[in-house]
Amino acid sequence: WCMNGHSFSLTVGQDPTGPGTGSGDNGNTDTGDTNNDNGNDGKKNSTTHAKLNIEPHENEIPAFNAKPLRQFKGHTSYIISLSWNKGFLLSGSLDKTARLWHIKKPKSLVTFKHHGAVTAVAYHPFDIDVFVTGSFDSKLRMWSISKKRIILFKQTLGPISAVSYNPSGKMIAVGLLDGICLFYHHTVSHKTSTLQFHTQIECRNRRGKFRTGRKVSGFVWRKNGEELLISTNDSRVRLIRMRDYNPFMKFKGAIVTEAPITASFNESGT
C-alpha cells in the first residue's frame, strides 16, 4: 500500500525474473463517496559526507509495478491509517472520517464521521462487521459496519495515536501521544457487548528529553498473543510480556522522532 496525500494505491509486485522498467457520540455515517548518536562522545563529526546517490543501479529491478492496480480517492486530507480484511479496506484521515472501501470498487462504500482527526483504524480479527477507531478527540470507538453506527465507545486520557486488537479479539490496545498505553477487555455475551478498561502502562524514558513520553506509533502482537511489540517516537521499541504487562526488553537503534514507523516480528514470530 502506498499512501500519498489524500489518496492511496494498491500495487502489485514485479516479477524478479522479468525485465524491470524504472520508472456522547451520534456516530453519523454517510453512504457513498463524499467528498545522533555519532559515537564521538558528543563531539561534532567534522567529516564532510558525500551526497547520497539515490539513482537506481542499471541492473536493479523495481519491487512494484509503476502503475497501481487501483487508486482510491475520496478523503480531503492526509490518510494516517489503513486496515485490511478479506478484500475490504478501512482508512483513517485527518479529515475527521474513516472510510470503508473494497478493492473492486472505485468509490468508498461508507463514510464514518468523527469529531476529530482519525489517526488509527483496526479491524476485528474475526468479525468482519466490527472495527475500532482512535481519534484526536480522545475517544476509542467501536463501529458496526452493517448498522453504520457506533456500538461502544470509551473516553481516554488524551489524543489517540494507535489502536490494535489482540489475536483473540478479546482485548484492544490503545496508544496515546504521551507514551501511555491503555488496555480494554471486549466481551460479548447474550447479544450484549461491553468494553471495560483493564490496565495501562507507560512507555517513557526514566530521564532525558523524552521522559514525559512520545507518541505510540504502533502495536504488533506475537501470534499467540502472549507478547506485544510497541513502537514509540522516542526511538525505542519495547517488548511487553502480557501475563504481567512487564516491558522485559527494550531496543534502541534508528532515530525516530516524527514518522509513524512500526516495528514487526519476523514470519515465525521469533
Side-chain angles (χ1 to χ4, degrees):
W1 292 102
C2 301
M3 288 189 285
N4 181 18
H6 307 165
S7 65
F8 55 99
S9 304
L10 171 62
T11 60
V12 293
Q14 182 87 344
D15 183 359
T17 62
T21 56
S23 304
D25 225 322
N26 55 20
N28 290 336
T29 61
D30 289 342
T31 57
D33 189 33
T34 328
N35 291 332
N36 268 262
D37 185 2
N38 56 24
N40 292 332
D41 298 327
K43 297 179 182 178
K44 291 185 178 179
N45 190 343
S46 60
T47 305
T48 302
H49 296 283
K51 184 178 180 181
L52 180 64
N53 181 13
I54 60 174
E55 293 298 322
H57 190 273
E58 59 180 2
N59 294 326
E60 287 183 355
I61 298 175
F64 299 99
N65 290 328
K67 185 177 180 180
L69 180 65
R70 183 173 296 280
Q71 188 174 42
F72 301 89
K73 294 183 178 181
H75 284 294
T76 58
S77 189
Y78 289 103
I79 298 163
I80 304 300
S81 181
L82 294 173
S83 183
W84 164 280
N85 194 336
K86 298 179 181 179
F88 289 94
L89 299 167
L90 286 167
S91 57
S93 171
L94 296 184
D95 64 8
K96 302 182 181 181
T97 68
R99 288 175 179 258
L100 176 68
W101 315 77
H102 191 276
I103 58 172
K104 294 184 178 180
K105 303 291 184 179
K107 295 183 178 181
S108 63
L109 306 177
V110 188
T111 301
F112 302 90
K113 294 181 179 180
H114 294 64
H115 297 301
V118 182
T119 51
V121 294
Y123 255 118
H124 190 283
F126 304 115
D127 190 348
I128 197 172
D129 185 53
V130 175
F131 70 96
V132 292
T133 60
S135 174
F136 269 8
D137 65 2
S138 306
K139 283 188 178 180
L140 172 69
R141 295 173 172 88
M142 183 176 293
W143 300 80
S144 167
I145 294 175
S146 61
K147 295 177 181 178
K148 298 183 176 66
R149 65 175 179 86
I150 296 167
I151 52 178
L152 292 169
F153 75 94
K154 286 291 182 181
Q155 184 74 39
T156 67
L157 302 173
I160 298 172
S161 56
V163 295
S164 177
Y165 277 100
N166 74 342
S168 70
K170 296 179 180 179
M171 178 174 286
I172 301 170
V174 179
L176 307 183
L177 287 181
D178 59 359
I180 298 291
C181 296
L182 311 172
F183 296 90
Y184 294 87
H185 278 308
H186 177 217
T187 58
V188 180
S189 60
H190 303 294
K191 297 184 180 181
T192 62
S193 181
T194 60
L195 195 59
Q196 296 294 330
F197 173 76
H198 177 60
T199 190
Q200 72 178 54
I201 60 174
E202 294 185 359
C203 293
R204 294 173 172 175
N205 299 330
R206 295 181 180 178
R207 59 186 67 88
K209 63 180 180 179
F210 296 145
R211 65 184 179 275
T212 57
R214 295 299 299 269
K215 179 175 70 175
V216 177
S217 56
F219 300 104
V220 176
W221 298 84
R222 203 183 287 274
K223 292 181 179 179
N224 56 16
E226 294 178 358
E227 293 173 359
L228 174 63
L229 203 58
I230 303 176
S231 303
T232 52
N233 275 12
D234 58 0
S235 307
R236 271 93 171 158
V237 177
R238 295 166 175 86
L239 187 60
I240 308 300
R241 188 169 51 209
M242 295 304 295
R243 69 171 181 263
D244 55 7
Y245 297 89
N246 178 38
F248 68 100
M249 294 187 73
K250 182 167 68 174
F251 306 94
K252 179 182 177 182
I255 296 176
V256 180
T257 58
E258 297 296 337
I261 296 175
T262 303
S264 63
F265 292 105
N266 61 9
E267 189 174 349
S268 64
T270 58

